[in-house]
Amino acid sequence: MVLGHESAGTIVQVGSSVTTLKPGDRVALEPGYPCRRCGPCLSGRYNLCPEMRFAATPPYHGTLTGFWVSPADFCYKLPDSVTLQEGALIEPLAVAVHIVRQAAVVTPGQSVVVMGAGPVGLLCAAVARAFGASTVVSVDIVESKLSFAKSFCSTHTYSSQRIPAPENASNIRALAPSLAGGADVVIDASGAEPSIQTSLHVVRPGGTYVQGGMGRDEITFPIMALCLKEVTAKGSFRYGSGDYKLAVELVASGKVDVRKLISGVVAFEEAEQAFKKVKEGEVIKILIAGPNEKKE
Ligand SMILES: [Zn+2]
C-alpha cells in the first residue's frame, strides 16, 4: 500500500462547489476525514469517528503520491510566509497541539514535563512554550535528542536513568524551584513504560497527565499515585476541530519553528533512503519531494 500522512501540496483542480480554494493555492493536508454524521463527529470530536478514512491506514492509501483527492475543508491554505516544507510538518505539529490542548490547563507560568524528545515530544514542548508555560522539561534516554531539545524550545532537560521511577521523578523535580512540588502538566510522548511510571510520580497533586505516545497495549501503571494525588488523566489521539488551524498559525507567527526539525529532503525516487535514515536514528525529519515537484 502507499505510505505517507504528513504532507503539503499545491491545488491543481477543485470541484464545482468549492469556493475557498483555487488552483495554485498551497495547502497543508489533513490526511483523514470523518463521516460527519456520527455521535463523535456531531459532538466536535471527529478524530474519534469510527468511519474515519485516514491516509496509510488500511484499507486507505497514503499521501506519498503525485496527486491526492481531499475534501476542501481538510486542506489548510498556507500563508505566503509558510513554505510547503513547513506545511508538511503541520501534521505532527497538529498532533502536538491536540495533546497539549488535552491538558487544558497549560497557561502562562506553568511547568510542563514532556517524556520523549522525538518529533512529537519536541513539538509538544514547543507548543507548551508557545501557550505560555515558563518551565518546560524534555526527558529522554538519548543525549543528542536532549541537546537538540534545549536548542529548540525546552528550558530544562533530563537524561532518564535506569533507576526506579520515583527516583527519576525526584531528580526531575530538583531541576527547578517551579518543579519542587511536582509539574502542573506531564505529557508522555514516548509510550515507554518507565516514562509513564515516572510521569505519575512527577506530576503535582491535582495536576494533569496526558498520554500521547503509543507503546505496548498493557503496562504496570502506578495507579495509587493517580488516585492519591487526584491526577486528571487524559488520552490523546491524532487531532480534531481547530488543531490544524492553530498549528498553521503557530508556524506562520514564528512561535514554533518547524524548519529546525528538517534534516534534509530526498527525491521521490530515493524515498527509501528517508525511511532508512529515520530508522537509524540519524535524523529528526526527512522530507520526500513529490514526484511532480520540479527538479532543482
Ligand atoms: Zn463520524
Side-chain angles (χ1 to χ4, degrees):
M1 71 179 291
V2 178
L3 299 174
H5 65 276
E6 301 181 0
S7 305
T10 307
I11 303 288
V12 289
Q13 199 177 356
V14 295
S16 57
S17 303
V18 174
T19 56
T20 53
L21 295 168
K22 59 180 190 312
D25 283 347
R26 298 167 322 114
V27 297
L29 192 68
E30 184 167 343
Y33 57 95
C35 80
R36 306 172 190 262
R37 291 183 175 87
C38 70
C41 278
L42 294 176
S43 73
R45 301 177 76 183
Y46 67 77
N47 54 322
L48 305 181
C49 174
E51 304 295 323
M52 181 65 105
R53 296 165 159 263
F54 201 85
T57 303
Y60 307 106
H61 284 302
T63 58
L64 192 50
T65 174
F67 298 97
W68 177 261
V69 178
S70 168
D73 55 344
F74 281 69
C75 295
Y76 297 80
K77 197 171 166 178
L78 298 172
D80 290 342
S81 60
V82 178
T83 65
L84 277 180
Q85 296 194 353
E86 292 171 294
L89 292 180
I90 297 296
E91 200 277 349
L93 180 56
V95 170
V97 164
H98 192 71
I99 290 171
V100 181
R101 277 182 149 180
Q102 289 295 82
V105 290
V106 173
T107 50
Q110 287 202 304
S111 58
V112 179
V113 173
V114 181
M115 298 292 176
V120 170
L122 290 167
L123 289 169
C124 284
V127 171
R129 274 308 280 285
F131 284 6
S134 53
T135 305
V136 176
V137 187
S138 284
V139 179
D140 207 287
I141 50 172
V142 181
E143 283 297 339
S144 60
K145 290 185 179 179
L146 293 176
S147 55
F148 182 85
K150 196 97 191 230
S151 70
F152 185 55
C153 59
S154 308
T155 59
H156 300 75
T157 58
Y158 177 68
S159 178
S160 203
Q161 312 294 311
R162 288 183 180 277
I163 51 177
E167 290 176 33
N168 270 320
S170 79
N171 290 345
I172 294 168
R173 285 168 179 233
L175 291 173
S178 54
L179 293 165
D184 295 309
V185 174
V186 182
I187 290 165
D188 177 73
S190 75
E193 183 174 42
S195 297
I196 293 165
Q197 292 167 342
T198 301
S199 297
L200 272 296
H201 292 293
V202 86
V203 69
R204 71 164 166 79
T208 301
Y209 161 70
V210 183
Q211 185 62 45
M214 295 190 194
R216 279 166 44 203
D217 272 358
E218 293 184 25
I219 59 157
T220 300
F221 186 85
I223 200 159
M224 283 310 285
L226 179 102
C227 177
L228 297 176
K229 293 195 283 189
E230 291 197 350
V231 173
T232 300
K234 287 192 169 183
S236 187
F237 183 56
R238 293 177 181 155
Y239 24 72
S241 303
D243 294 329
Y244 248 74
K245 184 169 175 282
L246 183 51
V248 171
E249 283 167 14
L250 288 171
V251 171
S253 65
K255 286 187 176 140
V256 178
D257 188 359
V258 291
R259 289 172 303 182
K260 288 183 179 162
L261 303 184
I262 302 171
S263 309
V265 184
V266 300
F268 189 76
E269 296 75 20
E270 274 124 49
E272 205 180 336
Q273 291 302 319
F275 289 97
K276 274 189 188 145
K277 282 185 178 167
V278 170
K279 202 172 176 189
E280 286 160 7
E282 282 176 36
V283 295
I284 300 171
K285 284 281 180 196
I286 290 223
L287 303 187
I288 299 166
N292 301 315
E293 206 157 316
K294 288 186 187 69
K295 299 277 187 301
E296 293 291 309

